[in-house]
Amino acid sequence: AVAEQAEATREYTAELRSRFNLGNLYYEIGDLDNARAAFDEGARRARDLGRPWASYGIEARALLALVLYEQGDWDGSLRTSDVAGQSPPGFAETLLTAVSLAVHAGRGETEALRLVPTLRTAWDADGMVAILTAGSAAELLVHSGDYDAALRMLDDAVELLTSLWQAEWFPGRIRLSAIGIAALAVAIGRLPSDRHADLVSRAERLADAAQPAGTYGKSGRRLGVEAVAWLRRVDAELARVRWLADVVPPGVDAHVAAWEGVVEAFRYGHVYELARAQARLGEVLKAAGRADEAQRSIAAARGIAERLAAVPLLTELRRIGTSVVRTDPAADTNELTPREREVLALLVDGRSNRQVANQLYISEKTVSVHVSNLLAKLGVRSRTEAAAVAVRDGLLTS
């Protein structure tokens, strides 16, 4: 009887392992439909065999929830990771909760940060939990305005995983670096210009740390489709940081091309990252004066963000679409050109003429002309007064 039970255990373990490995193979090549089917079948078989918490069964369920998240079925992902009333072992609940954190981050549900301390206790037991927790928690912290805490969270995860895996580089580091560089872009918009060079240097270090040496691991594996997409986002986020900080900024064509590359890379099926890339491409196209292309890219991103109820992305899209409108007839702001409206919005952000020129891909001389026209139209004597009038009279709207 013992021998028969052992043989049965070997058989179902082999079956679950086979289905899990098949799902992983599909996932690596970016075939999310077949990956979802394989993981779904693996999790179902584990339940049918009375082993719902067997290692390959629970991992299949976790990756099923992750694939559903990437495909934009966020409610389905949450249902899959929900263990209410199921009495799972501790690690199974931790892994599924870490996956669910991605949906909470995408929706900007900062109350989910309360889950992080418990999840962190499992970081040294499973690297996937560390990567999922750190990335999602960092994005929630950025959304709440605490980019310093976000960067510390990412640094802690990298330090632990480097020690745990005895490797300076691992594939998950690409995603963590991309999120970190994006956090630095937010910081640049909130800190004085004398801090910008330091922030750019830190972004460059994160980008360098994300670069693989062609292949990795004992088998000489190449990066999967998702990892390649995140690597492109690393490069584009670094270009964005340099652009915003006015430190070795990219040329307009190179900047547009970088974000176009991210958009194409995520078209394999990662819905949210595709929308985020479309939003940032739209911002660059708008700055480059390619209004029609920008509008199409931004509209595509907005459609996805609204369907997913992705509050952080919707907030970003509102910022990108900010313009100046007439609210006081006496101020005669209705005569402002679209470019003057963009310049005024940047003056409110405290940008110098050079930074405005860099962000809008125009010359400093042209910026000076726009500023002079703004002063005349708003009836003020300085750029500081122009910014104050814009804020005081509520001239900036979404």
Side-chain angles (χ1 to χ4, degrees):
V2 173
E4 290 177 358
Q5 184 176 9
E7 180 60 25
T9 299
R10 282 193 294 271
E11 287 179 0
Y12 79 66
T13 299
E15 178 186 353
L16 296 180
R17 180 173 60 244
S18 177
R19 295 182 188 279
F20 177 78
N21 289 340
L22 178 62
N24 260 337
L25 176 60
Y26 282 127
Y27 186 83
E28 285 283 317
I29 64 175
D31 186 346
L32 296 188
D33 285 338
N34 277 317
R36 182 186 65 211
F39 290 137
D40 191 16
E41 179 64 11
R44 185 189 66 78
R45 283 294 292 153
R47 291 193 302 272
D48 290 347
L49 291 167
R51 303 281 183 167
W53 309 118
S55 59
Y56 289 109
I58 187 55
E59 288 170 2
R61 179 173 170 180
L63 286 174
L64 171 62
L66 187 60
V67 170
L68 290 170
Y69 159 76
E70 292 189 10
Q71 290 189 310
D73 184 0
W74 285 7
D75 290 337
S77 179
L78 289 177
R79 286 193 298 271
T80 300
S81 58
D82 184 10
V83 295
Q86 298 175 36
S87 303
F91 175 72
E93 183 172 6
T94 296
L95 178 59
L96 289 166
T97 300
V99 175
S100 73
L101 200 61
V103 176
H104 297 309
R107 288 179 170 163
E109 296 168 347
T110 53
E111 63 273 15
L113 286 169
R114 62 181 173 75
L115 302 171
V116 174
T118 299
L119 292 174
R120 286 193 67 159
T121 63
W123 280 15
D124 57 357
D126 189 276
M128 183 178 176
V129 172
I131 291 171
L132 290 171
T133 303
S136 298
E139 294 200 333
L140 282 170
L141 289 165
V142 170
H143 180 59
S144 68
D146 196 346
Y147 50 83
D148 282 332
L151 291 165
R152 287 195 300 272
M153 177 74 66
L154 295 168
D155 286 344
D156 288 349
V158 168
E159 181 180 358
L160 182 144
L161 292 172
T162 298
S163 174
L164 181 67
W165 290 333
Q166 293 296 294
E168 289 295 323
W169 184 89
F170 45 89
R173 191 159 189 177
I174 303 174
R175 177 172 178 260
L176 298 181
S177 287
I179 294 170
I181 299 170
L184 289 166
V186 174
I188 284 170
R190 299 177 183 177
L191 293 176
S193 58
D194 61 1
R195 294 280 308 279
H196 290 179
D198 289 339
L199 295 175
V200 172
S201 293
R202 184 166 186 182
E204 290 171 342
R205 291 193 297 272
L206 284 171
D208 287 343
Q211 303 301 320
T215 60
Y216 68 94
K218 295 179 180 179
S219 61
R221 293 175 60 191
R222 294 189 178 277
L223 294 178
V225 170
E226 183 187 17
V228 169
W230 279 104
L231 193 57
R232 289 192 180 180
R233 187 179 164 199
V234 164
D235 294 337
E237 291 289 3
L238 179 59
R240 179 168 171 250
V241 164
R242 288 172 170 161
W243 176 53
L244 293 172
D246 189 24
V247 176
V248 195
V252 58
D253 292 339
H255 201 181
V256 169
W259 282 107
E260 286 178 335
V262 183
V263 168
E264 289 307 311
F266 278 112
R267 284 195 190 281
Y268 76 89
H270 199 315
V271 173
Y272 183 53
E273 287 304 325
L274 171 61
R276 181 148 46 188
Q278 288 171 323
R280 291 175 189 173
L281 172 60
E283 180 179 25
V284 178
L285 288 168
K286 181 180 177 184
R290 294 161 62 174
D292 290 344
E293 295 171 81
Q295 184 177 10
R296 287 194 293 271
S297 191
I298 291 169
R302 182 177 292 111
I304 293 172
E306 289 175 346
R307 177 173 67 81
L308 297 178
V311 173
L313 182 54
L314 288 170
T315 301
E316 181 175 341
L317 288 164
R318 282 194 293 271
R319 178 186 59 76
I320 293 171
T322 295
S323 61
V324 181
V325 298
R326 183 180 183 182
T327 59
D328 178 3
D332 202 23
T333 58
N334 204 36
E335 295 183 6
L336 294 180
T337 67
R339 184 62 91 188
E340 287 168 349
R341 295 175 179 182
E342 292 174 331
V343 170
L344 181 56
L346 292 171
L347 294 185
V348 170
D349 285 341
R351 307 285 179 172
S352 67
N353 276 12
R354 182 180 176 185
Q355 289 171 324
V356 172
N358 209 52
Q359 186 152 343
L360 297 181
Y361 292 110
I362 56 180
S363 69
E364 286 188 64
K365 182 177 180 180
T366 301
V367 173
S368 296
V369 172
H370 287 316
V371 171
S372 295
N373 290 339
L374 282 168
L375 299 184
K377 291 179 179 181
L378 295 176
V380 296
R381 293 175 294 179
S382 71
R383 56 195 294 120
T384 303
E385 287 184 76
V389 167
V391 173
R392 183 196 68 199
D393 295 344
L395 299 182
L396 297 180
T397 61
S398 297

